[in-house]
Amino acid sequence: MTTLGAVFRPQLPPERLRAIARLADETGLEELWLWEDCFREAGISAAAAALAWTERVHVGVGLLPVPLRNVALTAMEAATLHRMFPGRATLAVGHGVQDWMGQVGARAASPLTLLREHLLALRALLGGERVTTDGRYVKLDDVALDWPPDTGTNVQVLTGATGPRTLRLSGEAADGTVLTAGTPPEGVRDARRLIDEGREAAARTDPHEVVVYLLAATGADAPARLRAELAAEGFGSVPELGVAGDADAVAKAVQRLADAGADTVILQPTADEPDPEGFVRFVARDVRPLVA
């Protein structure tokens, strides 16, 4: 079955998160995803709050920019969430927006090298290993977590990826991949192929989850809002991107992504969504029953 969720976009102020997280929990929404966008809201603090306010909804963070974070800190924060809320959190890491990284003086000369080193060290630390490494960016000297995630917890580290090299790296070194809302069904197929190339090169046979954001709008002005956001993001001419309409239209768009290889589809409201709470209800109560 395709997993379905929704995004709490950081264009909303942080104080709106509590009501929306609780609503997601009450309506049976499977997953609520948060973003760490510069310079809006932080991913770990928002995820911890959302998890504490709820009982069952799964909370994802997609994604944490690795240039901003020492890998030991990422591991400590991830392990803390997994121990306090076992089985309910998913964290994705990635390059981050390079212009934003430049603004804070953290832009890496080789983002791919940094991401590779971060992924390998992070997965090892969360697996309870003691790590010593002297990479170009990641340097650890006899580091191990005192409180790694419990052995029975399914801890996955996902990475956000768009370009071919990062997609291959995700297959090689991550447990799953997050694809942006700029990925049409054919793009998901291409991404799966590149991920599988990385998995084959690393001789990996474990499951690899693919999460795809789907820009969605509903209501009387939905087509206009969708067109405006796609145009603002430079995607106005990309076919089969985003969906505007009722629950049936949205469910069919979700199914197209699932048929292309998405395991999880996260519905992303437009930045100007007039009723974020209503969007969560729409996803959980109207779209979910129509998705296989």
Side-chain angles (χ1 to χ4, degrees), residues 104-197:
V104 298
R107 189 166 187 164
S110 176
L112 198 70
T113 300
L114 169 56
L115 183 57
R116 176 186 298 278
E117 293 178 359
H118 195 103
L119 280 168
L120 294 174
L122 180 59
R123 292 180 65 239
L125 289 168
L126 291 175
E129 297 180 29
R130 183 170 296 276
V131 180
T132 295
T133 184
D134 186 22
R136 180 174 177 181
Y137 297 103
V138 174
K139 300 178 186 296
L140 299 174
D141 181 12
D142 196 33
V143 174
L145 297 175
D146 282 7
W147 298 103
D150 289 336
T151 305
T153 304
N154 181 24
V155 177
Q156 293 185 314
V157 177
L158 279 62
T159 191
T162 53
R165 292 193 300 167
T166 308
L167 286 163
R168 291 190 185 96
L169 172 61
S170 182
E172 176 187 342
D175 301 308
T177 304
V178 179
L179 303 177
T180 73
T183 313
E186 191 57 39
V188 176
R189 292 187 182 91
D190 291 342
R192 271 286 189 190
R193 176 179 54 80
L194 291 163
I195 291 165
D196 286 344
E197 288 178 8

Side-chain angles (χ1 to χ4, degrees), residues 236-279:
S237 61
V238 180
E240 291 192 281
L241 201 59
V243 58
D246 60 11
D248 184 62
V250 174
K252 287 177 180 176
V254 170
Q255 192 60 53
R256 287 193 290 272
L257 291 172
D259 292 343
D263 301 298
T264 298
V265 178
I266 307 299
L267 297 181
Q268 174 182 320
T270 58
D272 61 352
E273 167 59 52
D275 183 8
E277 288 84 358
F279 186 83

Side-chain angles (χ1 to χ4, degrees), residues 49-118:
L51 288 162
W53 288 326
T54 57
E55 297 293 333
R56 45 149 301 279
V57 68
H58 195 97
V59 174
V61 180
L63 48 76
L64 303 171
V66 298
L68 287 177
R69 295 174 170 275
N70 184 287
V71 69
L73 178 61
T74 307
M76 290 161 59
E77 291 184 318
T80 300
L81 285 183
H82 284 300
R83 290 188 71 100
M84 291 194 299
F85 309 101
R88 290 184 57 209
T90 296
L91 301 182
V93 299
H95 298 307
V97 176
Q98 294 305 294
D99 286 346
W100 291 342
M101 300 303 101
Q103 280 183 271
V104 298
R107 189 166 187 164
S110 176
L112 198 70
T113 300
L114 169 56
L115 183 57
R116 176 186 298 278
E117 293 178 359
H118 195 103

